[in-house]
Amino acid sequence: MTNKALWAQKLRSAIKAADAGPTETDLVDAPMLTYWRPHVSRLGAPILWGIASGHPRLTGGWITTSQLVAIDVDQGWARSASRWYALGRPFADYERTIAKDLGLEEAPSGFVQMDVPGYRPLNNLSLLDELLAAWRARMTLDHKGEG
């Protein structure tokens, strides 16, 4: 099996798992992603970026996830192609903390600029939902050999 075919299989499995939703064990065992922020590539591939703790392969610190296939902010989880993540505080909280430390009452969106090479930050979660739906549809077609 080619690397592309293996990745396609991994994406299909992740999408299927996300559609079913995480189990309690999935989230207990999941790494925590704190000060997370969605990003999107120029090709429309969404990821999350944030501070990971408890990741099975990476030491703590700022990371980017593999391709994001689902997120439920209200339930506090995200699913990437590779694994589940428990969501901690969003990046907007980090921005508010810095603004407060600087004596500002509010932190406008984009107050703290952090670059993730090849990606643009995405602060609009409604737009993220739309992008995820489009990305998943595209991946499903691409990986069936139809797109």
Side-chain angles (χ1 to χ4, degrees):
M1 191 177 272
T2 66
N3 284 344
K4 185 175 181 176
L6 285 171
W7 186 252
Q9 184 178 15
K10 188 173 199 163
L11 278 171
R12 282 192 304 272
S13 294
I15 289 169
K16 185 176 179 180
D19 287 347
T23 65
E24 189 174 316
T25 303
D26 289 332
L27 294 182
V28 166
D29 294 340
M32 174 67 72
L33 198 60
T34 305
Y35 296 138
W36 55 272
R37 175 185 264 172
H39 282 71
V40 64
S41 76
R42 64 181 179 80
L43 299 175
I47 62 166
L48 290 179
W49 167 80
I51 299 175
S53 59
H55 195 286
R57 298 183 66 203
L58 303 172
T59 57
W62 293 97
I63 68 158
T64 58
T65 66
S66 59
Q67 292 172 359
L68 188 65
V69 298
I71 187 168
D72 188 324
V73 175
D74 295 330
Q75 296 294 316
W77 61 263
R79 175 66 198 206
S80 73
S82 301
R83 70 189 76 261
W84 293 103
Y85 286 90
L87 297 177
R89 295 170 62 190
F91 190 76
D93 286 358
Y94 183 69
E95 289 179 308
R96 282 190 286 277
T97 299
I98 291 174
K100 184 178 176 184
D101 288 348
L102 292 173
L104 303 173
E105 289 190 26
E106 287 188 37
S109 180
F111 174 69
V112 176
Q113 296 295 313
M114 304 288 272
D115 287 334
V116 177
Y119 292 86
R120 297 190 65 189
L122 182 64
N123 295 320
N124 183 329
L125 293 180
S126 295
L127 181 56
L128 175 61
D129 287 341
E130 291 177 34
L131 287 172
L132 272 171
W135 180 252
R136 286 172 53 142
R138 184 172 151 209
M139 290 301 96
T140 300
L141 287 177
D142 284 352
H143 298 305
K144 286 182 180 174
E146 299 170 10

